[in-house]
Amino acid sequence: MSTTIAASFQGVPLSQLFPEQKEGWRGYIEWENEPKRKEIAARILKTKKFTPSPEFQLEPLPKTNPVLIGHRWKEYHAALGLQRIVDISWQTVLKEKPDMIHLLDFPYNGETPRKPLMQGKLTDNKLHFVRNHGGIPDIDEDKYELEIGGLVNKHCRISLKDLKDPAKFPQITMTVTLQCSGTRRIEQIQEYPGEGDELIQAPWGEGAIGTAVYRGVSLKKVLKIASGGIQPEAKHIEFIAADTYFKKGQVFNYAVSVPYRKVRQADEVLLAWEMNGEPLPKIHGFPLRAVITGVIGARSAKWITRINALAEPSLAPVQSQEYIYYTPQIGKQNVQYSTGFSIQNMPVSSAIIFPQDKELIVHDGAIELTGWSYSGGGNWVERVEVSPDGGHIWYAVKPEDLTEKHYHAWRLWKIRVPVDAEGWIEFCVRAWDSSCNTEPTFVRSAWNWDLHVTSSAHRIKLYSVNKTKPATAARLAQFAARGESIAPLTRPSEASLEDMTAFVEAMRKYPREPRTEN
């Protein structure tokens, strides 16, 4: 299904109705300060029919890259004459993120492949995950300015040049892990499907997490220096971004908020222009983004246009109607926005990256596993434990096999776990943080209608082949002599499983049939 694209509405060109009104801000349409513009956009959208979101929870995921196509979101933009935003966004993806797992082409959701995810404490900019909610603006640095308003003592506009001036605002660098609240969502989908949102709930695996060193200025200092502080009734800080967002036939700028107490804490909310020693990539928010430590990645808004001090949390849909955590009794039959709570801090979580689920592992009595662990909300990971039997016996990762601690970053880990058993075994991992929090044992305990925060112990099934077992060693030697591999598991061997003379001898020694005589 496709929507018919009209160049005008009631005789007025769409380019005039929805203009890029800021010089040097390509792909930015102001919606929040333009209620009439929002009303006209809603009227246009109401006249169209759009492609339904793809079904991928009750049917297998396509084995393509991109995995899913955002037809509906593209058609929303096209209906308002904003197809150019879609085109520029994909061009940016191909330039800045060519080697990613493209889970959703538009708005772009890109997952880090396994191998680069584990290459070091810091994630390369080209391979850091991306979760966008709209198109990617193209903003000139010398035309950029940040507006600060709401319940502050002085409204102001600040250029990026001024923000970067250390004589005006002290600069800081900080190592921060950002994690999408949808990380490991595929585990919930595979067992218990849930919400199928109009903005596709991307089927994230273990790669919707990444760590970088960001440079910028503390928002706490900016509010104090540039705006003279906030007024007493201000309790929340809202970030309004340049990307266009849709919800139930209405159009918005992407906007979120965090409690002011988060901003007030020492350098936990950063306005950043640099990532891993390089200017922010466009896809990560160039020229300026928020980096908010310890909370879900959705709060770290990119392409910030305005910051407002508010008395209450933002009523923007991403803040008030999405990223909501519901009880398992809530679902399509009874869900309301008000029946869940807003997700802020990320809980402790972990994942096994290697080996992968369903792998056949030939080993000498121990299997090596590697992965990541993380906890938000000002906590850090203290311990990682791995179980080879589904969660009964746990082995702790040695301190020297964990990467160093940071207040706001993950820890990578590796461990060799003793394994005697052969055949299918289930490994799982759990982390413990500095507040003694750990993970639910099973994904059912973490299921929620919106499929957020899959924080249960991550599980994989491996087929164990223990070559210290005499019979196994002999069989492996036979495979090697024939130039044959034991993998893949399901491929039948070309040779007979047993010499017939040996088989007959064994059957006569241990008959399969019981005796009939006394």
Side-chain angles (χ1 to χ4, degrees), residues 124-141:
D124 186 277
N125 288 358
K126 284 185 174 295
L127 292 161
H128 193 291
F129 91 96
V130 178
R131 199 282 190 246
N132 287 342
H133 297 76
I136 302 168
D138 181 16
I139 303 172
D140 295 339
E141 180 173 344

Side-chain angles (χ1 to χ4, degrees), residues 299-313:
R299 307 299 179 223
S300 292
K302 299 181 278 284
W303 315 292
I304 302 171
T305 63
R306 295 190 298 285
I307 295 175
N308 293 321
L310 306 176
E312 297 179 329

